[in-house]
Amino acid sequence: MEYTTLGNTGTTVSQICFGTWRFGMQSGGVVETDREEAHDLLDTAWDNGINFIDTANVYGNPNGLSEEWIGEWLADHDREDVVLASKVYFPFDGWGEPGPNDSGLGRKHIRTQIEGTLDRLDTDYLDLYYIHRWDENTPIRETLRTLTTLVEEGKVHYLGASTMAAWQLTKALWTADVEGLERFDVTQPMVNAAQYDEVADYLDVCADQDLAVCPYSPLAGGFLTGKYDRAEDGSVEAPDGSRGSLDEMFDEWYTTEQAWDVLEAVEAVADEVDATPAQVSVRWLIEQDRFTCVPIVGARTPEQLEENVGAVEIELTDDQFGRIDEARQLEG
């Protein structure tokens, strides 16, 4: 494993982050990753040098299962060796039916949820705490003041922002600077080789402000692994049990004309460097040069996770990187 500094922070993380959103999640009535499988995956991540683990208070059914299972696993490891990230915003059902203040980024909800997160993870602090979405009903000043207090109390080391518009991220950074509050150091948008242009303005802000980018869905929901075929009618032929077969929105989210062009370029490069399409896709993100990029991979099996880790062992030439980049800009 190779390691990198997380943007403008003083924390060093593995070049790949392990995402745990599948822990306890149900798709089509099927539990994607159960407790035993979760612990096996965490062991595999650790054995392969991954020290950066991403979760959220709402991962799992009921919410909180992902954090609980990580906390159980963490009890057998040195907390100081692990970089933990979690999130807050969405309604939390882990304590029953959410009430009127059990969502959003108001002071009451944040203060309640950080205590629950720390309890489930069985830790005194988070290395990184993301706002999971933008809250249109709470002034960003209130949110940042509350998060700043968590940093001052030692419950959180750094702040992060997930999916939002570029202007919202800019407003948050401006507010932090003007008010003398903690600012976001890390972002978590959905970015992959097939889906990049939609968040181009957001990434421009990250590059300008020296924010680390930890993209989720780096393989476009598995599309960039090359395991999907295109039917004559243009639809996706998905293997049984894959995300494409379980998620009704898969085609709409991931399989654009541009995505098929990118997949073709990725597969060609994979053949040239003796790697898998998944490894090339993850490597393409790691090699972004405008900002620190640490992809979040969420494998179903230890074998898939080990394959993804193999991305740190390959290198792309400027020509190979550029051909994938150019494929994103082709008209389908």
Side-chain angles (χ1 to χ4, degrees), residues 12 19 44-45 58 82 143 149 196 199 213 217 247 257 281 295 299 308 317:
T12 299
T44 301
V58 294
V82 180
T143 298
T149 301
Y196 188 99
V199 291
V213 178
S217 198
D247 195 331
E257 289 293 328
S281 298
N308 292 334
T317 65

Side-chain angles (χ1 to χ4, degrees), residues 17-222:
C17 176
F18 179 50
T20 63
W21 68 283
R22 283 195 174 99
F23 286 12
M25 184 179 74
Q26 294 187 20
S27 295
V30 177
V31 177
E32 296 212 10
T33 302
D34 63 26
R35 179 178 176 275
E36 182 177 354
E37 292 168 333
H39 284 198
D40 287 344
L41 284 164
L42 288 166
D43 284 339
T44 301
W46 184 253
D47 291 343
N48 282 275
I50 294 177
N51 73 337
F52 192 10
I53 299 173
D54 179 87
T55 188
N57 62 333
V58 294
Y59 291 171
N61 185 9
N63 297 159
L65 276 184
S66 176
E67 291 179 331
E68 285 184 19
W69 294 348
I70 294 170
E72 294 170 354
W73 175 85
L74 191 62
D76 295 325
H77 297 78
D78 188 339
R79 170 66 182 91
E80 297 307 312
D81 291 335
V82 180
V83 179
L84 281 178
S86 194
K87 311 177 188 73
V88 62
Y89 169 77
F90 289 111
F92 179 82
D93 68 13
W95 297 325
E97 186 68 24
N101 288 302
D102 289 340
S103 64
L105 298 175
R107 181 174 287 106
K108 185 176 181 65
H109 185 235
I110 291 175
R111 298 289 313 197
T112 299
Q113 289 304 313
I114 187 62
E115 296 302 331
T117 285
L118 294 178
D119 182 62
R120 287 185 293 273
L121 288 169
D122 194 20
T123 183
D124 295 329
Y125 70 95
L126 284 178
D127 297 278
L128 176 60
Y129 202 29
Y130 290 99
I131 60 170
H132 215 156
R133 292 293 186 272
W134 181 268
D135 184 354
E136 297 180 353
N137 299 314
T138 301
I140 188 60
R141 181 182 292 105
E142 175 179 337
T143 298
L144 289 173
R145 281 179 174 169
T146 305
L147 294 172
T148 295
T149 301
L150 297 185
V151 174
E152 292 171 346
E153 293 173 352
K155 294 180 178 179
V156 172
H157 285 174
Y158 299 106
L159 306 181
S162 187
T163 302
M164 63 182 63
W167 71 264
Q168 292 167 332
L169 178 58
T170 301
K171 179 178 181 179
L173 294 170
W174 178 84
T175 301
D177 289 345
V178 170
E179 300 283 343
L181 302 172
E182 292 289 326
R183 71 196 322 254
F184 297 127
D185 287 303
V186 186
T187 61
Q188 190 179 130
M190 184 172 76
V191 182
N192 53 65
Q195 291 170 299
Y196 188 99
D197 296 334
E198 293 178 4
V199 291
D201 291 343
Y202 183 100
L203 295 177
D204 284 344
V205 176
C206 295
D208 180 72
Q209 295 295 305
D210 196 19
L211 307 182
V213 178
C214 296
Y216 69 91
S217 198
L219 299 178

